[in-house]
Amino acid sequence: MKRFALFLVLFWALPAWALEVVATTSSMGMLARSVGGPEVKVTELAPPDRDAHMLQAKPSMMRALRDADLLVAVGAELEVGWLPAALKGAANPNVLPGRPGYFEAAAQVALLDVGQAADRAQGDVHPAGNPHVNLDPARMAMIAQALAARMGQLDAAHAEHYRQRAQAFAQAVAEKTPAWRAKVAGSGGLVSFHKDAIYLTHFLGLPFLGTIEPVPGVAPTAAHLENLAAKLKGAKALIAHTPYQPPAGAETLARLTGLKMAVLPIDPPSGSDAADYFALIDRWVEALAAAK
Amino acid sequence: MDRNTLRALASACALIPLTAPAADDLQALREEIAQLKKTYEARIAALEAKLKQVESPPAPAIQSSSPVTSKNAFNPQLSLILDGVYFRDNKKGASVEMFDMIDGINHSHGHQGHAHGQLERGFNLRETELAFSATVSPHFDAWAMMTVSDQGDVALEEAYFDTRSLPSGLTVRAGKFLSGIGYLNAQHPHQWDFVDQNLAYRTLLGEHGLSDTGLRLSWLPKTGSWYTQLGLELLQGKEQTFATSGLATPTSREDGAPLAATSAGALAAQKAGPRLTTLYAKLGPDLGANHALQFGGWLAHARQHQEVHDHTLEDPASPVQALEGKGRAWGLDAVWKYAAGGYGGQGDFKLVGEYLRLHKNLKIAFDEGGTQVGEKRDFVQDGLVLQGVYGFLPHWQAGLRYDATGLTKNEVRGPNGKLAEWNKSDRWTLALTKQIDHFSLFRLQFGRARLWNEGVEEKANQLYLQYQMSLGAHGAHSF
């Protein structure tokens, strides 16, 4: 009876998962879930309906990071305004940068816009490169495979499961890619509020035509929009902004150019799986296709 | 390449010229070759795919634990904050002094520490903050912050290291640092939502709050979805409003006259540090993405506190006295932040409330009159700050603050009851902040204070127009 009680205690005390993962955004949460499957428990810090640049560190983040085995961040300074403070407050050495428990998606792939001058006259620039890799399914597939390797390093018992799931994710991306590209073929490209969709246009082979904000982190000006409108003359492009970005600039540009406008999130909903992520890419592809 | 396939191919080829082929045989052979070709091609394709797979996997996991960041180029990271104000008041500039002379238990010796370059009417450059931070090694982070006055005087505000590899949620900090008590105490001036320090902190803890040299142990226990932080600080107890020691027994008077012959008693020698201990707890439930709430409570205890009371400049008849004993303080705080998710912080708000109370349980150790040595003097004063900030437009914030000192208690008691009691001084402040971008802001602030100086009520209005510019690698702000 005593032994049975002990067994019960152990059973309740032992978690049902092998790794406790904290993901900074819902895209990273989706990857962790797709690769980790039932072997991981995933907590997401940033809700997808707001700008991941602008969050503030808060106690619940420190709480989540305190017990994490693995932190999956986008990186390239996207979370620089809050993640270092949250990590400092979490007192968990296992997930500090440089440790195996710290995983940065942007560090696994080649970045676009690398090596811009660290000149803040150019706005809130990221000299390390553009961090918004999450809208590029091909890069996400590579990140998934690197993440699988990392999970396997931390939890060798399930390494093969992680590898297989990452493989399946990459396979799914490879299968969907031709249809996505075919659908948008002939599109004139994309204008987005912030340079957060450039990896998607790159992936789809479309031109990225500019941003509604004149420089990163600075609100649109009339002069900039007029210049942009002149540049867009004749292009069959889509104007897009996320739900948390102000619509006024995009509306003005749409009025000046007569182009179609869409409000599209750059991250899938909280708690998403791969299917939700692909649905997000589908939405962008549909919108781009509809605008050609 | 498969050896059997080759052999089969070779034998197939060898067979052809030897046999006089019948049409049927020929057909069969053709089919066989086609079949072989098919399998062969499939095998090549499979091998090619395999090769591609081996070639393409992303870089090995070990090299990619370090973040992609430009800040690594600088070690240590530097940041500089410029802070300037245009200042006016309704007292021809005298309101600055009135804030220094608020009636209360710390009033007569409020000039310890470095004077904060008195504000003048018109343009002022306030202290420039210069911060250095770096990860020293896998085991330590370090931070130092200096301030430079407009006259070029340098002061070391903070210089400490933190451990980064202790297990079980433990962290140790050592050096000179802002104490973890309260919510606002650990914030530097550039993090304040208002131009100036609140009255409660200013009169009870000092212009900079509680900042001292020592050691901190903080612990994050596992408490389910609740955030819990417990802290214990062992501090030197140097030049704090309720923890000062090492003062000399008076040998002269401020008015220059010699001490009376009746002088008796002496201050005890300085005790070895740490003389000041603080304990604090912070608790926060997880309220989802939009809300953050944190409650805190703290205690501070100084085992030696000394002060000298010399009012002979204002009143030559008053005797010089020196007191010593223990200092105590405690406080409660709460913060609620709401993130609306709007552009430029629109719709966000933050509410902060803090109550603090200071006790000094002292005895007269030296008395010029000679008769009061050994008599007890118990001082108590409390204070409150309530402040809210609301993002009413993108990048625009409106702030409202009420702060008071001597809120419910502001008195000194002797062995036979109350010896003196002072009035409550309080203030209403309105601030309008425009965040130009991540790195610069402008702020317009108006404050209307009702201050008590030497039992006289003064109504002081102050107007500030402030700018702040942040240069360099500006780190993330804590909650």
Side-chain angles (χ1 to χ4, degrees):
Chain A
M1 190 63 209
K2 233 181 205 171
R3 208 175 280 178
F4 179 68
L6 186 71
F7 169 78
L8 263 185
V9 167
L10 276 177
F11 181 81
W12 286 112
L14 285 174
W17 50 84
L19 290 177
E20 202 156 324
V21 181
V22 171
T24 57
T25 66
S26 57
S27 291
M28 295 302 112
M30 178 281 297
L31 269 192
R33 232 170 265 117
S34 301
V35 174
E39 272 108 33
V40 304
K41 179 193 169 217
V42 181
T43 310
E44 292 168 10
L45 299 182
D49 63 346
R50 59 202 61 182
D51 193 344
H53 291 97
M54 306 301 267
L55 294 190
Q56 291 184 11
K58 53 185 198 153
S60 57
M61 294 177 177
M62 298 172 196
R63 176 66 238 140
L65 288 166
R66 160 73 171 83
D67 296 329
D69 300 304
L70 175 63
L71 167 60
V72 182
V74 177
E77 301 188 345
L78 178 70
E79 303 101 335
V80 73
W82 52 278
L83 189 59
L87 271 173
K88 186 147 185 77
N92 179 358
N94 298 329
V95 293
L96 290 178
R99 301 295 184 96
Y102 180 86
F103 180 89
E104 209 174 72
Q108 319 300 329
V109 290
L111 298 182
L112 300 177
D113 301 338
V114 180
Q116 289 184 323
D119 175 6
R120 283 189 183 141
Q122 299 307 310
D124 188 12
V125 291
H126 298 282
N130 187 319
H132 303 283
V133 292
N134 56 294
L135 275 184
D136 178 350
R139 278 186 168 80
M140 288 290 268
M142 289 170 75
I143 295 164
Q145 282 165 322
L147 181 60
R150 186 63 62 83
M151 284 180 173
Q153 189 185 341
L154 294 170
D155 170 28
H158 300 109
E160 188 52 27
H161 293 180
Y162 301 136
R163 205 193 60 73
Q164 281 169 2
R165 286 192 209 105
Q167 193 60 46
F169 180 83
Q171 189 70 37
V173 168
E175 280 165 12
K176 287 174 180 293
T177 300
W180 282 329
R181 288 191 177 147
K183 195 147 201 184
V184 297
S187 159
L190 177 71
V191 177
S192 59
F193 184 89
H194 183 68
K195 218 169 175 180
D196 44 21
I198 186 171
Y199 286 94
L200 179 71
T201 54
H202 196 261
F203 166 73
L204 293 172
L206 298 179
F208 185 79
L209 299 168
T211 59
I212 293 162
E213 53 179 19
V215 294
V218 173
T221 59
H224 171 71
L225 291 177
E226 276 164 26
N227 280 341
L228 193 57
K231 222 179 88 184
L232 290 172
K233 240 190 182 95
K236 285 282 159 219
L238 175 72
I239 302 169
H241 69 88
T242 68
Y244 55 77
Q245 288 158 347
E251 281 162 4
T252 306
L253 190 65
R255 190 160 37 75
L256 289 173
T257 57
L259 294 178
K260 278 202 175 148
M261 196 186 102
V263 182
L264 293 163
I266 58 166
D267 285 295
S270 312
S272 284
D273 57 17
D276 299 312
Y277 173 71
F278 295 141
L280 173 69
I281 302 297
D282 286 341
R283 277 180 70 185
W284 279 86
V285 165
E286 297 284 349
L288 281 161
K292 42 179 201 191
Chain B
M1 193 173 291
D2 196 304
R3 200 168 285 182
N4 286 334
T5 322
L6 274 180
R7 200 173 288 157
L9 264 176
S11 43
C13 295
L15 278 171
I16 296 166
L18 284 183
T19 45
D24 277 7
D25 285 352
L26 213 64
Q27 185 58 29
L29 268 173
R30 279 202 185 113
E31 270 170 15
E32 198 176 337
I33 288 174
Q35 190 65 35
L36 279 169
K37 217 170 159 186
K38 227 177 189 174
T39 22
Y40 194 57
E41 273 167 0
R43 283 198 74 88
I44 287 179
L47 281 170
E48 266 176 1
K50 211 167 187 178
L51 186 71
K52 214 171 171 185
Q53 215 183 85
V54 172
E55 277 172 354
S56 69
I62 296 110
Q63 66 162 42
S64 43
S65 280
S66 45
V68 179
T69 160
S70 56
K71 286 192 314 192
N72 283 357
F74 309 105
N75 192 5
Q77 295 163 36
L78 291 179
S79 101
L80 191 73
I81 291 161
L82 305 185
D83 183 348
V85 295
Y86 175 82
F87 169 71
R88 292 302 291 265
D89 69 356
N90 64 340
K91 300 281 179 187
K92 294 199 164 66
S95 68
V96 177
E97 172 106 68
M98 287 171 189
F99 274 88
D100 284 341
M101 300 297 286
I102 293 171
D103 286 349
I105 65 173
N106 295 326
H107 155 86
S108 52
H109 34 88
H111 298 289
Q112 322 129 318
H114 50 113
H116 262 254
Q118 293 288 53
L119 280 178
E120 286 178 27
R121 285 182 297 163
F123 293 113
N124 295 271
L125 178 63
R126 303 210 302 171
E127 286 174 328
T128 302
E129 292 180 5
L130 177 58
F132 301 80
S133 64
T135 295
V136 179
S137 73
H139 307 296
F140 303 106
D141 285 332
W143 161 269
M145 180 181 263
M146 275 156 243
T147 59
V148 185
S149 77
D150 62 342
Q151 298 299 309
D153 298 325
V154 178
L156 187 65
E157 295 289 311
E158 286 192 295
Y160 60 78
F161 71 81
D162 280 323
T163 60
R164 49 186 271 136
S165 55
L166 292 185
S168 315
L170 293 168
T171 316
V172 170
R173 172 174 293 187
K176 182 180 181 186
F177 52 87
L178 291 163
S179 166
I181 63 163
Y183 172 70
L184 296 167
N185 193 71
Q187 298 193 345
H188 294 110
H190 78 262
Q191 290 167 268
W192 296 351
D193 292 318
F194 297 85
V195 176
D196 51 356
Q197 180 66 283
N198 69 74
L199 281 179
Y201 270 57
R202 197 188 164 112
T203 54
L204 298 176
L205 301 175
E207 175 70 27
H208 277 225
L210 182 59
S211 166
D212 208 335
T213 304
L215 198 70
R216 172 198 296 176
L217 177 68
S218 106
W219 180 42
L220 263 68
K222 294 201 177 207
T223 43
S225 65
W226 276 69
Y227 166 84
T228 308
Q229 190 197 357
L230 303 173
L232 167 69
E233 292 169 331
L234 302 174
L235 303 169
Q236 196 60 11
K238 244 193 317 224
E239 294 181 354
Q240 304 300 333
T241 52
F242 62 106
T244 296
S245 69
L247 298 187
T249 305
T251 54
S252 63
R253 291 160 51 112
E254 270 184 9
D255 65 357
L259 285 171
T262 49
S263 297
L267 285 171
Q270 185 175 35
K271 289 184 178 170
R275 295 177 291 267
L276 174 60
T277 309
T278 75
L279 258 176
Y280 63 83
K282 297 178 201 291
L283 302 165
D286 185 356
L287 300 179
N290 296 341
H291 298 269
L293 189 61
Q294 181 180 281
F295 302 101
W298 58 273
L299 289 168
H301 177 83
R303 61 196 184 92
Q304 188 178 33
H305 174 64
Q306 299 177 328
E307 49 189 64
V308 173
H309 294 189
D310 185 340
H311 301 285
T312 54
L313 272 181
E314 305 108 67
D315 175 15
S318 68
V320 174
Q321 291 187 327
L323 294 83
E324 64 186 3
K326 290 179 167 53
R328 283 188 296 127
W330 61 268
L332 293 170
D333 50 89
V335 196
W336 178 25
K337 285 193 194 181
Y338 171 72
Y343 181 67
Q346 188 172 15
D348 291 0
F349 69 77
K350 171 161 81 168
L351 289 176
V352 179
E354 284 203 45
Y355 174 83
L356 46 158
R357 192 169 176 125
L358 185 62
H359 295 262
K360 295 189 285 192
N361 304 115
L362 309 178
K363 282 192 168 135
I364 296 173
F366 167 87
D367 178 28
E368 197 183 2
T371 54
Q372 292 182 330
V373 174
E375 260 185 34
K376 77 184 182 115
R377 292 285 185 271
D378 291 322
F379 298 83
V380 55
Q381 184 176 349
D382 61 357
L384 175 80
V385 51
L386 287 172
Q387 62 185 52
V389 177
Y390 175 67
F392 64 99
L393 278 175
H395 306 296
W396 280 94
Q397 287 149 6
L400 181 66
R401 172 176 72 181
Y402 174 75
D403 50 351
T405 185
L407 183 73
T408 64
K409 287 269 184 193
N410 197 2
E411 62 184 37
V412 53
R413 290 175 165 273
N416 306 313
K418 208 178 281 180
L419 291 173
E421 187 175 23
W422 300 281
N423 287 312
K424 170 182 84 176
S425 294
D426 62 358
R427 169 172 65 168
W428 283 94
T429 310
L430 199 64
L432 202 60
T433 304
K434 164 75 176 157
Q435 294 274 351
I436 306 293
D437 46 52
H438 277 322
F439 313 103
S440 52
L441 66 81
F442 287 101
R443 179 175 287 137
L444 179 68
Q445 176 173 315
F446 176 75
R448 180 163 175 77
R450 193 170 52 116
L451 306 174
W452 287 85
N453 283 177
E454 304 286 349
V456 179
E457 187 183 32
E458 302 278 1
K459 293 221 161 91
N461 299 342
Q462 293 188 321
L463 182 80
Y464 292 92
L465 184 59
Q466 180 191 32
Y467 67 80
Q468 271 185 0
M469 303 280 148
S470 153
L471 288 67
H474 193 68
H477 284 160
S478 53
F479 178 66

